[in-house]
Structures are given as C-alpha cells and as structure tokens.
Amino acid sequence: MMRIVLVFSLLLIHRTALPKIPISIDGQSVVTTIQIGVQASVVEIYAAEELQIWINRLTETKPPIITTNQLHSTPTLISIGIPQSSPEVRKRLDLPINLGNEGYRIKSFEDENRIMVGAHSANGVLYGCYHLLELMVSEHTGLTTADLDFIFSPRPNLALSPIDQRSQPFYPVRAVLEVNDPDWLARHRINMSGGEGIWNGTGIDDGLGTAFQYVDAARFELFQDLTGQERRQQIETLRNRFDLLRRRGIDSYLFMYVTGEPTEALIRNRPQLLGQPVPYGGSRNGVSYKPLCWSKPELHQLVAELVQEIVVTYPTLSGFHLRCWGYETRSCQDCPQCGGQSEAGQKMLWKLMFTVIQASRKVRPDFKFYISGYDRFWLKDPDGSYAARLPQGTIFSQKWGYDGEPSDQPNLSPKLLSRLGGLKHRLIILSHEVEEVMPLWMVEGDLFVNGVRRFPTTHPQPGLAGFTVQGAEVGLGQLDRLLSARINWNPKLDHLQLMRDFLTNRYQVESAGLILKSLRISGWALSNYFTDYAGTLTVTGQYGKGSAGFATRFWDIIGQSAVTDIFSIPDEQQADYAVNRLAGLLPQMQEASNLANMALAKINPVNVETTYNLKDTQRLLQMWTAFFESRLSLAEAVQLGYKGGKVHQVQDKLNSAIEYTRSMVPLIRSIGQFVPVFGYSRLTIETSLVEKLTAEVALIDNFAPETIMHQIDAYALNQAELKISGPLNFPNPLKDKTTFTYQLSRTVDDVSISIYTKSGRLICRVQDCSSRKGYNEQEWDGRDWNGSRLANGVYFYKILVKDDGDQLQAYGRLAILR
Ligand SMILES: [Zn+2]
C-alpha cells in the first residue's frame, strides 16, 4: 500500500514537474529546428515548410529545416517523416499498423525537447503537422478546439505541453468539386479535387468535345478553337495547379462532360463525326447542338488519341472526372446507332466511356476515374455489369437529399452503396449544397452533421467513401466548409464546439453564442422550407413540380412564377397546409434575426472583415424574415379565397405581401458579399435579384383578388361579369419560350392568344388556351405558324376571350432576346 502511494505521488510530482517544450522564447531568435529525412518526398518537404511558415506566423521566429544527416543546435527539435525516409522516425516512433494509410502519430519526448510526427504515408505526415500546428494555435489563443483558420497576432512565447496523439481519417475520400485554394485544401486534409480544368456547367468548353484545348500537339490543330498561345498559357496554368495539388498530397481530377458540345473547328473540319443537330437553347448558337456520333469508330479513335495526349501533357494529373448528366450528355437522337437514352444509346455511351478509360490507362496504368451521374438519367447500369468492368477504386457520387437541398437526410441508396462497395468502388456523397439558396449563403453544418451521423461511426460502411466538402467561401458560410472537411475526418467531432470557437475567435464569447444559435435556428427553418420545396408538396404551391431534377436557387423562389405558384394552390386543404407551415417558420426566422441583431450590438470584432460578415448575416436573416412574411401573406390571401373571405380582406393580404417583398429590396442591396455563382459579378447578382422582386411586386399589384375567390355559388359564377385581368408573360424578354398568365372572372368557352409583329402582322395564334375561372397559364414556344423561331425584337399579343356571345380582349407586349 505504502509503495503504491509512493509511486503514485512520484508520478504526480514528475508530472507537474514536466516542463513544456518551448517552440519560441522571448528574446531568443531561434528555439526550434525542423528535421526531415534525407529521402523526404515532396509532400514531406511541403509539411516541413508549412511548419516553418506557421511557426513563423505564430511567433515571428523562423525555425530552420535540416535533414537527419545534419546536427541541430536549437533547444527544440521537431522530427517528421515516414519510416522509409527518416531513420529517426523509424527508430524512435512506434507506428501501429492500424494507423491506416493516412493516419499519423505525434509524440513528444520532454527530456530532450523533441516532438516527432510520423505516419505510414507522406499525407499522414502532412496531416500530423497540421494537427501539431493546431495544438500551437490552441495554446496561443486559449480556445480548446483550434483550427488554422483562426485569427491571431504573433506572440514571442510559445511552449507545448506533453503530446501523445494519434489520429486517422474516418472516410478515405475527402473531396471538393470546385477549384479551391490548394493551401486551404491541404490544411483541411482534403485529398481529392474533382473540378479541375474548366467547369462552367454548360457542356460548352468543359466537355470531351472541347478537350482539345488541354493539349498542344500538332495533330489536333484542326480541332482547336483557341490559339496556340492561349492554349499554352492555359496548359501552363493547369500544370502548375496540378503540381501544387500533388505537392500537397491531393489527387486532381480533370473535369469533363461526356460528351459536351464539340469545338467549332471540329464541327467545321470533321462534320462526318457528328450526328444530326439536337435542339438545345444552351448551345453555342442558342438553337441547336451538334452532338458527336458515338457510333463512329473514327470518333473513338480520335477520343483515344486525345485523352492519351492529355494524360501525357499533365504528369501530375491523377484522373478524369467524367460526368454524364443532363442536357450536356447528348447523342444524335435520330441516329439509328446512337439512340439517345434508349438501351442502344446507353450501350454506345458506355462504349465511349471505356474508350476514354482504356486509352488513358494504356499510358498510365494507375490513372483514376471519378464518374458522376452514374445510373441516373444517363449511364444506366441496372444490373451493375458496367460498374464491374470499371477499374477497381473508381469513384462515384450521389447527391445529398432529394436534390441537394438543405436537409439532415442524405437519402443514400443502400442498393447503390452495396453494389459499388461490393465491387471495391467508392461512393462519395455530394454533401449539402448551398446551391439551394444561391447567391445567398446559409450555414447548414448542423443539418449536415446530423445527416452524416446517421451512418455508423464505429467502422465505415463498405463503399461509402466520404462526403464532399461544400459551403460558401464568403460570409459565415465558411463555417460549413470547415465543418464538412472535419466531419469526414472524424464524424464524432464536437461540431458545435468547433463552430463556437471559430465564432469566439472572431466575435468574443458572448456574441459567438448568440450568432451560433441564430445560424442554427435559421438553418433548420430554411431546411423545413426547402424540404417541402424539393419534394412534391410545396408551400409555394407548385404542386407536383418542386425542384425535382433542378437545383432550386433563391432566384427560383422569388419573382412572378414563384408568386403564381402560390396563387395556384389547388384547394382549401393545401392552402391551410401552406399557411400553417409558413406561420410556423416565420417566428423561427424572426428569432434568428433578433439573435443576430443582439449579437451585432454586443460584438467586439477582430477586424473589419469579421464585422462585415456579421452585418451581412443580420441583413440576410432580416431578408429571410421579410420573405416568409410575404409568402405567408400570399398563402393567407389564397386561403381567404377558399374560405369565403371578402374581396377587401384578400386585397389587404395582397397589399401586405407587396410591402414585405418591397422591404427585401434595400436589404438585398445592402448585402456586401454574395456567393459568386457562375462567375456572376456582384452587380449582376444584385440587379437580377432586384428585378425579380420588382416584377413580383408588379404582378401582385395587378392581380385581381376576385380570381382567387372560390366561394361564389354557381349562379353568381355564371352571372359574373366577364372580365380578364393581368395579362402578363414570363420570362420576358424570352429566349426559347414564355408563359402567358391571365385571370378570368368566370369559366369561358374559348380563349386564344394571337401574336403580332410591331407593324401588326399576325404571325401566330395559340388556340384552345386555358379558360377556367381564376388564374390561367398558357405556354408558347416562341415560334411562328411554320415552326420557325422568331427574330429578336418586340411583339404584341392579344388574348381573345369568347363566352356565350360575350367577347373580350386584352393586349400585352413581349420581347424576344436570344
Ligand atoms: Zn449517332
């Protein structure tokens, strides 16, 4: 007993007596040396340089980097490396096998002021060094969960307590699909970048048909749209970027639509490779798209040569991201061989995929592939036989939720997961996408973490390889990026602590708590709203449409079509649902907004940028509050219409909606930073949002309340004076098609819409238009009698209503702009 007590107290004494390891001491220029193996790889060297840079930022002293062959003369030594490159790590650091490929161990040896960071792979070493730096930032800032994204000023004294830590990633693929800062990616332990090259999301300039621009070989000169100089510049930029990524242990995947629209030069010089034009407004000429004909052996030959040249041109490129999704994946539909999405067409598309894969791997047998859009609209693979033929380790992806909406339901298909997992492929989930609210940002981290934790966190599910890192780079949307990077590494992470510390670092502890609460409440409220919107039953009333197949953006939930959505709520029950739903969400958004106001009143911000970010947060939440107020007023107007409300009551609700929508305009104008979606400028974003809100106000203003009054008896219905109101069309100006909307005071026998030139020449008439009492809409494809697309310009239209001998007409003006 005595002995035990003695040992215990000795240990205790020893423990308290243990000195901290100095990294920097006031008055001494250099206290620490960084040591790497003589054979250190580029990634290990990069890790040492990162330690050097960050210790310098923290302490304003710059530790030298030496190799294991050199002697060090400072009190403290940090040795890093893998056993193969560093004899020190090999001899002194026990690295368990189960540390995995990218795990690491950090251990301090207090008696000799030494810290060692070791791993089985160079990536592990890099991640271990970041962990070590995070411990230093923690020590420096006093916040328990640290991150290198913290804001701090240098301090001359820094010492670390004893360390013995090991960590390893939970998910093997930690991916981003955008072109991001390589330093940020490395610091957040990302190992795959899937959006490299040109990604404009159109299939023009980012498809296989235009991939000639990535190479500079004479034999492709005939297919080039860019000049040699433009291309060489681009190649140089891309090469440098792939090198930067490789140096940070990140696999880069060159993005390509399969197949995308071909270059103009190819269309001109090798028309025999193309099929019949396919109508597509998003094409180069705005009319039709000339697809590559998948059935031609010459095309396969050319594609094989091209991808091989790409693989040779970029020695540090890891793989291709081949995307088969939506309109950009087009075949010649009328071609008997290709056949679009038919079974034969699918076969042809897969054949083309394998042409790309086999050709690339002939040059580099370890070349990798990431295939998005698998088994959705294209690339059907009902029995998994195509997946079985793909190189093992191919990465696939699926969207989060129903359509990437803010939700805590990733909606992962177990069938797909087990199919791909069984074949040793990997599935990544395109995690929560801010796309739903773009160009605004929101913090969905809370929902995301809840969703991720639905999967077992004891051991990974076979096939489930990770969640992509998403989130805005502006405003407090940064929190999402931080979280989604970290939760991939450790799903048990205390995400609230991480967010709170991030905010505390910027706004001090009191405001941080208020901001966090505010963001979480608004996140859940918006999630509820968008979950309805993405499904079939929507609070805006677009019944059956929702955002299915479309990533709904903020642009889509404001403006004339969004308002007419609400007016088209088909019955009293659904009107009640919409009103209850919105009435439930509104107070939540009000609370979130109030909390942001309180936080702003209390802040002690670190710098100008953090103040701007919080002001933006406040305006955003005020804007969402006004938005819900406006939608609730509209839904209440519709509800009154079903419940026999009076005209003036309905009109009051419409007026109130107008006020709330109007109040959103100055808020939009005062928001400092939007998410720069599609490369739009701030001005473009602001202008387009304000235009939509203004159009929305105009529509409600011109709306005849009688048209949503349903509680009029049959006699009154028949006797109602024939009236037509609010003829409008949207979009206007139109590119491909437009929808006419009008309200009728009673159901009529016949409605037609005639379109005239400015000089009054009739060029087209749409017969048998919608003719019911209330709100009507009628689509028009922008074509004349002959089916030809009309030229740009201003046109007039006449809506002619005939009923029981009565006849009435209304006029409107539209513009075509392509
Ligand atoms: Zn064809």
Side-chain angles (χ1 to χ4, degrees), residues 293-295 332 335 338:
C293 181
W294 303 340
S295 71
C332 29
C335 160
C338 292

Side-chain angles (χ1 to χ4, degrees), residues 509-555:
V509 68
E510 204 180 6
S511 292
L514 295 168
I515 299 166
L516 183 58
K517 200 169 170 196
S518 158
L519 292 173
R520 293 182 75 198
I521 293 172
S522 102
W524 285 97
L526 289 176
S527 165
N528 276 315
Y529 181 77
F530 281 101
T531 307
D532 278 359
Y533 203 76
T536 50
L537 182 66
T538 86
V539 286
T540 64
Q542 186 57 33
Y543 294 87
K545 276 192 191 168
S547 74
F550 296 95
T552 311
R553 301 189 172 90
F554 184 67
W555 277 289

Side-chain angles (χ1 to χ4, degrees), residues 462-527:
L464 181 57
F467 298 83
T468 58
V469 173
Q470 308 234 19
E473 285 184 68
V474 297
L476 294 181
Q478 299 165 59
L479 271 170
D480 268 348
R481 307 188 72 214
L482 193 70
L483 265 189
S484 55
R486 282 310 168 89
I487 201 89
N488 273 289
W489 188 274
N490 173 16
K492 292 178 184 162
L493 176 92
D494 184 348
H495 70 292
L496 295 178
Q497 185 69 48
L498 189 100
M499 291 201 274
R500 193 175 289 113
D501 282 352
F502 177 93
L503 293 167
T504 303
N505 178 252
R506 282 161 172 73
Y507 303 104
Q508 312 302 322
V509 68
E510 204 180 6
S511 292
L514 295 168
I515 299 166
L516 183 58
K517 200 169 170 196
S518 158
L519 292 173
R520 293 182 75 198
I521 293 172
S522 102
W524 285 97
L526 289 176
S527 165

